[in-house]
Structures are given as structure tokens and as C-alpha cells.
Amino acid sequence: MKKLLFAIILILGACTSNKESLKKQEIQTQQSDSEQQKNAKDELTRNRNHSLTMNLIERFPSALRTDSIQDKFTYYFQYLLKKSSNLLLIEDANIKDIEEIDGKVFLLVYNDDPAIVGRFLVNSQLSIRLLQELKPTDIDKDCCLVAKVNEIVPIRGGPAVYEKSLNDFVHISFASTSSTSYFINGELIDFYLLTY
């Protein structure tokens, strides 16, 4: 009888252990599936952003890419920009503001490396598209853009941008850094909103 009772306990223990093992496998499978779904979604997002960027590069092959001006002297940046018909491609620009002044729409963007603050006039067709695609609640939305540069202002030290009024939107603070930042005025040629 003791042997039978012992065998039953062992069988029940094995069944319980099996159930727990199956539950653990199921949880791991669910976590793995959700991680795979997240990875697949991230990959789709990367592919979409890459294809949008490649579209602009193909449409504007002469545009100067910002990754080619990192750690360059300002005069060389200006030289390369002239060679590219003053077209600049920023692959990952952070949208800081959109403003309307006297019926004209301006886009204010920031790029990290090299540090560029761009203020671009947006023509009426692009402004309609921009305002349709960008929700009023969006903050720190990224875009890939091509702009025609009219003016470059190099600044030694870090730029700080504040909106004081509609006509006086930039305040420059000179930090003790040795990096050069650029304020660029120009005209937006085309853009794509990026997703992350």
C-alpha cells in the first residue's frame, strides 16, 4: 500500500511539474512572440524610414547630406553647399516649431550632428501637406527634408533657441564648447515625416 501511495504521489508530482513546465513554456512563447512582433514592427519602421530617405536622395542626388559635413571647416561646408546648388539634405531633423508670419509658413528644425538650426520657408503646397500630416499635439516629430539654403550663420559654441516673439525667434548663448553650430535660413523643397 505504501508503495502504491508513493507511486501515486510521484505520478501526481510529475503531472504537476509537467503542468508548471508547460505553463512556463507557454509564457516564454508568448513573450517571444510579442518580442518578435515588436522586432518585426521596428524593422518595418526602419525600412519605411530608409525608403523615404532614399526617395529624397534619388530625387535630389546633388543635395549635400549633413553626414558629409561633420567635423568640417565652415568654409568647406559653404564650398560643398555651393557645389550642390545650395541644396541640403537633413536625414533626421527634429521639428521644433511651425509658425505663420504674414501668411507665410515657416518650419523650425534642429539637427544634432552637425548641430544645425534651420528655419525654412514652406511654400503653400508643402504647407498644406505638412499641416495635414503633422498633428497639433505632435511634439519632437522627426522628418527627412531637402531645403534650398539662402544663408548660413556659423556660431562657435552651443546654440540655444527661444521664441521671444514672431519677429525675434532666436537668442544665441555662447557656451564654452569648441564645436561650431549653424543657423540656416532657406526654403523647404520636400520632406517626409519619420516614424519611430
Side-chain angles (χ1 to χ4, degrees), residues 29-173:
T29 301
Q30 288 174 349
Q31 288 173 342
S32 176
D33 287 348
S34 98
E35 191 173 306
Q36 286 176 350
Q37 288 173 348
K38 182 186 177 307
N39 289 342
K41 184 180 175 186
D42 290 348
E43 185 65 26
L44 281 173
T45 298
R46 277 192 297 277
N47 288 340
R48 179 185 175 274
N49 289 342
H50 178 73
S51 87
L52 293 174
T53 302
M54 291 310 295
N55 184 318
L56 281 182
I57 290 170
E58 289 168 8
R59 288 183 41 231
F60 302 97
S62 67
L64 177 63
R65 294 171 63 175
T66 54
D67 60 1
S68 67
I69 59 171
Q70 292 172 347
D71 303 320
K72 299 283 191 288
F73 290 120
T74 301
Y75 83 89
Y76 192 59
F77 175 15
Q78 292 166 329
Y79 167 75
L80 291 174
L81 196 56
K82 284 177 190 164
K83 273 183 67 174
S84 65
S85 304
N86 290 334
L87 289 179
L88 182 67
L89 173 76
I90 303 177
E91 293 183 40
D92 193 2
N94 185 262
I95 298 174
K96 289 297 185 188
D97 201 3
I98 300 172
E99 59 185 344
E100 185 177 352
I101 301 173
D102 299 329
K104 295 178 182 177
V105 174
F106 293 90
L107 178 67
L108 182 66
V109 299
Y110 183 81
N111 181 67
D112 283 323
D113 198 10
I116 293 175
V117 175
R119 184 174 187 258
F120 304 116
L121 175 66
V122 185
N123 70 35
S124 58
Q125 274 186 323
L126 281 181
S127 66
I128 291 169
R129 190 177 120 208
L130 180 66
L131 296 172
Q132 284 175 344
E133 292 181 23
L134 203 61
K135 298 179 189 117
T137 55
D138 282 340
I139 54 170
D140 291 336
K141 192 75 175 167
D142 292 328
C143 71
C144 176
L145 64 85
V146 173
K148 177 110 176 151
V149 175
N150 297 330
E151 180 184 26
I152 301 174
V153 180
I155 304 294
R156 293 286 285 180
V161 179
Y162 305 100
E163 185 176 322
K164 287 185 176 178
S165 72
L166 291 178
N167 296 323
D168 182 15
F169 75 101
V170 173
H171 168 70
I172 302 168
S173 71

Side-chain angles (χ1 to χ4, degrees), residues 6-21:
F6 184 69
I8 292 173
I9 290 172
L10 279 176
I11 292 172
L12 287 175
C15 288
T16 304
S17 176
N18 241 359
K19 285 181 184 178
E20 287 175 7
S21 177

